[in-house]
Amino acid sequence: MRVAISPQGNGWTLGALLLAAALAVWLLLQPSLIQGLAWPLRLPAVLLGAWALGAGFIGPLEPPSRRRWLRRAASPPWNLAALGSFALLLAVRSLSA
């Protein structure tokens, strides 16, 4: 499998990559933001975080998938909405704790 960096990157792609990296580091430093949630809320938060961070990191790469739904989920505006929602969730959790 060959992965290539896309030369047509824009500011959104770089911003999403940097935001995903910052959120990943934030979660490494404060895992209690997710661990403190009740189990019925924790599972959707973990799934949203996996989608948001995964799509944020894969953004600069060309998705090798031919599946339309997978390519669509990893590209704007869906990945930016997931990343923003996850960042908002973590910000609300950190302010309320």
Side-chain angles (χ1 to χ4, degrees):
M1 178 199 298
R2 192 172 139 204
V3 177
I5 302 283
S6 175
Q8 288 102 352
N10 55 22
W12 291 107
T13 304
L14 180 61
L17 179 65
L18 292 175
L19 181 59
L23 290 175
V25 169
W26 191 10
L27 281 174
L28 285 173
L29 294 175
Q30 293 184 337
S32 63
L33 292 175
I34 298 294
Q35 290 174 349
L37 290 171
W39 180 249
L41 297 175
R42 189 184 314 171
L43 182 61
V46 167
L47 294 176
L48 176 65
W51 174 28
L53 296 179
F57 285 126
I58 196 103
L61 305 174
E62 294 177 10
S65 176
R66 293 184 181 174
R67 295 186 179 125
R68 184 171 186 238
W69 67 270
L70 188 58
R71 188 172 54 244
R72 192 173 193 181
S75 63
W78 296 107
N79 71 338
L80 296 176
L83 200 55
S85 299
F86 191 63
L88 184 64
L89 172 76
L90 292 182
V92 167
R93 285 287 300 154
S94 71
L95 291 175
S96 67

